Structure formats: C-alpha cells, structure tokens
Amino acid sequence: MSHSRDAKDLPAPEHGLLLTHFLTVSDVAVSRRFYADVFGGEVVMEENPAIVKVANSWIIMNPGGGPTPDKPDVTLQVPRSGDPVSGFLNVRVADMAAFHAHAVAKGANFLTEPIDRASELRCYLRDPDGHLIEVGQSTGLIQGIQADAASN
C-alpha cells in the first residue's frame, strides 16, 4: 500500500477547483481498504482524514461527529439500514464485466448483476457502511440511445 504525500496525489488544486467525495464511516481502516481494493485506489493519507485517490478523484473518509464551528447544527453519521438514499457515488467504468469480476473477487456485494438498460450497463453495490455506489458503463448512450425514463 503506497502512502505518498506528493502534492499531485492530494486534492489540492493549483488553480480553480476540483471535486472530492466525503464519506462518514464507522471504521476508517475497513473503508480505506475497501476503496483501495475494489476501486484500485491509492491511499495517500491513512486517516485524519483518510484519503484514497481513485482514478481522477479522491474519496475522503472520517468517523462521524457532532457540529463544529464551521458546520453548526450538522451531525455526520453513517447511513442507517433501510433509510432512503438522497445521494450516491456514481462510478463510470470502461469495461463492466472486468470491473464487476474484479470487485466481486475483492469482496464487493452487488445488489444485482449488471443490467443492460440500452443506454448503459448498470448495477449498484454498498460499501462497508452501506453507502450506495452506482457503477455504470455507457453503451447505447454513446450512440444517442437513452434509457427509458420509467426505469431510472
């Protein structure tokens, strides 16, 4: 596991901005390993916060907690089983079959096998804390074929 601190590995733009995704996790080590193993990420910080560089983005993870001066009235917590989902990580892959096989071999549990939706191949999995992750491969979308709105 690499633990580089090279500035290019950290989410610190020289100009403009970049997007990262923050996750509240119950066990930093377990989540860090999940994102490194399943998504081929590089651990660039072990914790406080944990940062895993995945492709051209970063997953930032820390345990939950109560309000802080910069986020008053906000409590961070992991998802509760059965709760509605209001957001999720969307991962796009070049080869769904290869990614799916790799992820399953690394212990990922998908909600379903990849489903062909005409515009894309798509499936979902949950991370160790239950965060929902969509994995998709654009297929027909590249040729202008859109998914049926009823099946989104």
Side-chain angles (χ1 to χ4, degrees), residues 30-126:
V30 168
S31 293
R32 184 180 62 230
R33 187 171 40 258
F34 174 84
Y35 284 96
D37 290 351
V38 172
F39 293 99
E42 176 188 359
V43 175
V44 294
M45 283 185 66
E46 293 266 338
E47 53 186 279
N48 296 324
I51 301 176
V52 178
K53 184 177 182 183
V54 179
N56 59 350
S57 192
W58 292 262
I59 307 291
I60 300 173
M61 296 160 272
N62 246 348
T68 58
D70 56 339
K71 56 176 181 48
D73 302 322
V74 174
T75 298
L76 298 176
Q77 62 185 26
V78 298
R80 292 183 298 222
S81 179
D83 275 358
V85 174
S86 62
F88 54 86
L89 187 62
N90 184 302
V91 178
R92 309 311 290 176
V93 298
D95 183 337
M96 178 62 82
F99 175 81
H100 187 267
H102 164 81
V104 168
K106 293 293 184 176
N109 294 311
F110 287 83
L111 303 181
T112 66
E113 296 290 318
I115 295 174
D116 188 342
R117 304 184 66 251
S119 65
E120 66 180 343
L121 299 172
R122 187 172 83 188
C123 57
Y124 291 85
L125 68 144
R126 290 193 183 268

Side-chain angles (χ1 to χ4, degrees), residues 133-147:
I133 303 166
E134 175 184 307
V135 179
Q137 176 186 346
S138 295
T139 53
L141 188 63
I142 296 168
Q143 299 153 0
I145 299 170
Q146 293 184 304

